[in-house]
Amino acid sequence: MDDLESEVELIDDIPKAQWKKKPKLSLGMRVNETPKETGFHQSTRLCLEQIREAMLHHRWQEAAEYMACYPQILEATTFVSARRDKEVIWRIGTEILHHHPNSKLQDYNIIYERMKHAGFGHYLMISLEHAFHLMVNGYIEEAKRQLSIAESWRYGKETAVQHQKSSLIQAYRSLLDYIIWCDKKYKLRHTEYVEPGQSKDMNNYCRQASVNLKEILKIPGVWDPFIISYVEMLVYYDNHEEALTVLTNYAYDATFPPNPNAYVYLYKFLKEHDPSARNLMKVLKKLRVLVPSHELMLEYSSLLLQTEKTSNVQKALRVVLEMLDFACWRSNLDVWKLLKAIIQTLQLQDDWEDVVLRNMRERKDWWPMLHFTSMHSIKDSENPKLLKIKSSLAKILCPDLPLQYTTETDATL
């Protein structure tokens, strides 16, 4: 419903100077008409206002009844307004169906098919939306059929935008091949006797899916569902080298937009197939730049601490402190335990106090209010282990400030 206002406003594109003010409707919306507005146009405009009012108040049956009349506007639209009016009918019609309690799949199919062939250049996007609806309702084969038809659709001279949409259609059709492949893989895994034809059929779906999934990944963008699907198939057939190449390119290709998930996928793959601490830390270092509060920063700090190198231990301290800069980690016992372990390791160095104070210098004005107030101590008392660890760290992290965070027995590190 968030986009309904902007979608319905398509009808208000006539220059403002041509509009006259009319009495307000019950929703407080201005009713506008042009000096040359005919009775027919006035009726369709008022019909659209009633549809909008019914939708905003979730009166879906009433909206559907008005919507049955509104398409008459197409009988009197000009070439310029035809595209706009048809898109309004598509957007609002499907929105009403999504919310109407008595809507059926057949109703969706009717409106999608009518809008596809309405001739206003949205054939591919309507086909994709139609396929999504079929997928959600479990009609995978029918969704694939719709996208297969859309793949062969052509309209005039192909533009760059149309080519991108066609590629997207192909990619989603391949994603459906992947879903069918998953279904067949599951059935084979739970079948005592596997016929040769069954494995061949499953392999065919894998090949069909791989062709377009591989192609879509050449286009800069965020392709998370396609990536994990393609990699899963590569791993299933033991093509680990290709899977690593795909994930590495997806994460490090500078033409792609920054995407934390790309590094998460690569990290999880390396952890399972090539758990070299050096490679894992390299990936997590990149992830930290994008999302310093990510849950994997806990593993990054642990890996840095395990190296026992002085520089890495200090880096581990910075990573954990950055995590605790975010309120979502404020009461996490694992993060505070790791911070305690890092400081205990740092205390083996002569200058450990300087290292801690240097990292806390920019935090001293606001960290106590984030972690070490009397309110926090009351809340943390529900978890005695957390209370004890935080109490032992309070004076170390903020030695020059009076703190209200206390325990009955003052714990020390």
Side-chain angles (χ1 to χ4, degrees), residues 313-314 317 341-349 352 355-356:
V313 175
Q314 294 182 12
L317 175 65
I342 292 170
I343 291 180
Q344 285 177 329
T345 304
L346 281 173
Q347 286 178 329
L348 300 176
Q349 306 173 22
W352 72 271
V355 173
V356 172

Side-chain angles (χ1 to χ4, degrees), residues 317 320-321 324 335-343 393 397:
L317 175 65
V320 172
L321 290 178
L324 290 170
V335 177
W336 288 101
K337 285 172 66 176
L338 182 57
L339 177 58
K340 179 178 178 179
I342 292 170
I343 291 180
L393 292 171
L397 296 172

Side-chain angles (χ1 to χ4, degrees), residues 62-73:
E62 181 183 337
E65 291 171 0
Y66 279 114
M67 194 64 202
C69 303
Y70 184 69
Q72 295 180 52
I73 194 174

Side-chain angles (χ1 to χ4, degrees), residues 260 263-264 267 280-305 315-324 326 329 334-335 338 342:
Y263 297 102
V264 174
Y267 173 79
L280 294 177
M281 287 192 293
K282 180 181 177 182
V283 176
L284 293 176
K285 180 180 179 180
K286 290 286 187 179
L287 177 61
R288 177 195 173 199
V289 174
L290 297 177
V291 190
S293 62
H294 198 282
E295 59 185 2
L296 286 178
M297 293 304 100
L298 201 58
E299 296 189 33
Y300 184 33
S301 301
S302 298
L303 288 170
L304 289 167
L305 184 60
K315 186 181 293 185
L317 175 65
R318 291 194 294 272
V319 172
V320 172
L321 290 178
E322 283 181 1
M323 289 183 72
L324 290 170
F326 295 85
W329 294 107
D334 292 333
V335 177
L338 182 57
I342 292 170

Side-chain angles (χ1 to χ4, degrees), residues 353-384:
E353 290 180 317
D354 292 336
V355 173
V356 172
L357 292 177
R358 187 163 58 247
N359 282 278
M360 290 300 300
R361 186 174 294 122
E362 296 180 353
R363 295 179 169 90
K364 66 180 182 179
D365 294 333
W366 54 274
W367 246 60
M369 295 301 296
L370 181 64
H371 296 294
F372 299 125
T373 66
S374 57
M375 180 190 69
H376 293 126
S377 63
I378 294 172
K379 184 178 179 180
D380 292 340
S381 63
E382 298 173 4
N383 187 343

Side-chain angles (χ1 to χ4, degrees), residues 197-249:
Q198 290 178 293
S199 296
K200 184 178 180 181
D201 187 34
M202 188 180 82
N203 295 341
N204 286 337
Y205 277 103
C206 177
R207 274 193 296 273
Q208 293 173 21
S210 298
V211 171
N212 287 324
L213 290 179
K214 188 174 183 179
E215 288 301 312
I216 196 68
L217 299 179
K218 295 178 181 179
I219 304 173
V222 178
W223 305 113
D224 293 354
F226 306 96
I227 275 284
I228 58 179
S229 302
Y230 185 38
V231 168
E232 182 182 340
M233 290 188 292
L234 290 172
V235 171
Y236 181 82
Y237 293 104
D238 295 325
N239 196 346
H240 297 130
E241 185 176 347
E242 176 65 16
L244 178 59
T245 300
V246 169
L247 289 171
T248 302
N249 291 341

Side-chain angles (χ1 to χ4, degrees), residues 378-395:
I378 294 172
K379 184 178 179 180
D380 292 340
S381 63
E382 298 173 4
N383 187 343
K385 291 183 179 179
L386 176 64
L387 183 66
K388 183 177 180 180
I389 291 176
K390 286 185 66 175
S391 180
S392 67
L393 292 171
K395 279 297 180 183

Side-chain angles (χ1 to χ4, degrees), residues 41 73-79 81-82 85-86:
H41 286 96
I73 194 174
L74 299 179
E75 298 175 9
T77 54
T78 64
F79 177 79
S81 62
D85 294 333
K86 290 172 183 177

